[in-house]
Amino acid sequence: MHVTLALLAQGHDVVGIDNLNSYYTPALKQYRLDQLAAYRHFKFVALDLADRQGMAQLFKTEAFQQVVHLAAQAGVRHSLTAPFDYVDSNLVGMMTVLEGCRHHKVEHLVFASSSSVYGMQHQVPFRETDCVDFPVSLYAATKKSCELMAHSYAHLYHLPITALRFFTVYGPAGRPDMAPWMFTEAILKGKPIKVFNQGKMKRDFTYIDDVIHSVVRIAQCVPCADCAEAGTHAPYQLFNVGNHHPVELLDFIETIEQCCGRTAEKIFMPMQPGDVMQTHADVQRLETATGYQPNTSIAQGIGRFVDWYLHDGEKFSC
């Protein structure tokens, strides 16, 4: 939604697709669509990425110039109980997008990967050149697979593709299954929160506005074979998109407490399967390519999220 608003503000015609599934409340997804409804240059198509015929027809009908593919089945923990959701959305869905871009000569495909591909490695900050061959969740494995699939299409069909490894994106109208929303909701309702690994984890939380600025700039940086990364001759490039200032989990919770004006009741829990100890983005490559570096502090970002939650988000809570 946020990226679409930015593209519309630049004067682009945008077609958005979503299957509006019930992984979390469809009412929130409809709320996002409502923010876009007033723009005459926006069109929505209710469609599942895994619908091969539907996707093929969409590409044929719309003749896209560029594609920004941010859809996926997200969430590490959900992948432990519903693995085929990730195969359908992330792998089959990626293939329909790649095929559509290939057959209709799309000028640039930008798609969302994830910091989860870095797994449990201890050397920080994480760099795009690091080995990511050892995922610790199915979600991470599907995102790494998407990167490999994308590179093969860039190589075989000279399709310009950019992969973006997002680091814990949050902000207004974000996902209710992520920590900013869950902790805010629980604190405001006086309910306890679960703090995994005794709070001894760090995350590189990235505010949504920083993601928007990065995506819009990267969309204009079309890779070519001659300027591709070392080790490949394909028109393919890869960027971390993160705040590059990791925050300890307990400090993160304290920031939410301050914004809510209340103290959280904490239940300390062991590490969850599929979780990682830390994330930390090296964003030098992003800054070199775009002149932009994410810079929203956790205090600023959480403050804006809590304000949105109190104004609009609370009605979508369980």
Side-chain angles (χ1 to χ4, degrees):
M1 178 199 77
H2 294 286
V3 171
T4 300
L5 285 170
L7 292 172
L8 290 168
Q10 289 185 346
H12 297 287
D13 294 318
V14 182
V15 177
I17 74 167
D18 198 300
N19 65 3
L20 302 177
N21 68 23
S22 58
Y23 170 62
Y24 56 84
T25 175
L28 177 60
K29 302 176 182 185
Q30 186 59 52
Y31 166 87
R32 297 187 190 124
L33 282 174
D34 291 344
Q35 313 308 304
L36 305 171
Y39 292 85
R40 62 186 180 87
H41 292 290
F42 175 73
K43 173 183 177 181
F44 175 68
V45 177
L47 181 64
D48 193 315
L49 286 175
D51 181 345
R52 299 184 192 181
Q53 291 184 340
M55 287 292 289
Q57 185 60 49
L58 178 74
F59 272 86
K60 181 179 179 181
T61 301
E62 299 297 342
F64 300 118
Q65 183 179 5
Q66 291 196 350
V67 173
V68 179
H69 172 33
L70 305 180
Q73 177 57 62
V76 169
R77 291 166 192 164
H78 184 64
S79 70
L80 302 175
T81 57
F84 284 100
D85 288 355
Y86 293 76
V87 174
D88 293 339
S89 292
N90 300 2
L91 299 183
V92 177
M94 183 66 178
M95 181 56 71
T96 63
V97 171
L98 287 169
E99 278 289 279
C101 291
R102 167 199 173 190
H103 288 294
H104 296 279
K105 308 302 180 184
V106 167
E107 295 177 7
H108 190 194
L109 165 61
V110 178
F111 78 95
S113 185
S114 168
S115 63
S116 67
V117 301
Y118 289 106
M120 292 291 284
Q121 69 180 37
H122 300 290
Q123 183 174 338
V124 294
F126 298 161
R127 294 180 171 86
E128 293 91 343
T129 53
D130 291 344
C131 176
V132 291
D133 291 341
F134 305 100
V136 296
S137 70
L138 177 64
Y139 171 65
T142 61
K143 285 300 186 179
K144 172 59 178 175
S145 298
C146 288
E147 293 180 5
L148 296 173
M149 293 160 66
H151 184 273
S152 69
Y153 266 63
H155 172 76
L156 289 170
Y157 307 114
H158 308 289
L159 173 63
I161 303 179
T162 299
L164 302 178
R165 289 176 177 169
F166 292 134
F167 282 68
T168 317
V169 181
Y170 73 101
R175 284 177 19 223
D177 63 322
M178 292 187 68
W181 187 306
M182 292 193 299
F183 289 168
T184 297
E185 178 180 347
I187 290 170
L188 290 173
K189 291 185 176 181
K191 296 181 178 180
I193 62 173
K194 294 180 180 180
V195 182
F196 293 102
N197 200 44
Q198 313 302 312
K200 297 177 181 177
M201 294 190 290
K202 289 185 176 182
R203 290 291 181 270
D204 200 339
F205 292 98
T206 311
Y207 188 65
I208 185 62
D209 286 3
D210 289 326
V211 173
I212 296 164
H213 294 315
S214 300
V215 172
V216 170
R217 284 169 170 77
I218 286 296
Q220 299 169 6
C221 299
V222 182
C224 62
D226 293 338
C227 61
E229 301 173 29
T232 178
H233 298 291
Y236 175 86
Q237 57 189 357
L238 172 66
F239 296 96
N240 287 335
V241 179
N243 186 263
H244 64 95
H245 286 103
V247 178
E248 183 110 355
L249 182 56
L250 290 177
D251 292 336
F252 172 70
I253 293 170
E254 183 179 354
T255 301
I256 298 178
E257 290 174 326
Q258 292 171 350
C259 292
C260 292
R262 302 185 187 183
T263 301
E265 178 187 348
K266 305 174 187 69
I267 301 175
F268 290 94
M269 307 282 288
M271 191 79 159
Q272 282 280 96
D275 270 355
V276 297
M277 289 294 297
Q278 61 181 337
T279 62
H280 183 178
D282 182 312
V283 294
Q284 185 59 55
R285 182 181 287 184
L286 175 70
E287 185 176 14
T288 299
T290 67
Y292 181 76
Q293 186 180 94
N295 54 30
T296 305
S297 70
I298 195 70
Q300 291 173 317
I302 289 298
R304 294 170 191 168
F305 171 75
V306 171
D307 287 346
W308 172 84
Y309 179 87
L310 291 170
H311 185 267
D312 279 341
E314 199 165 12
K315 59 177 175 273
F316 302 113
S317 296
C318 298

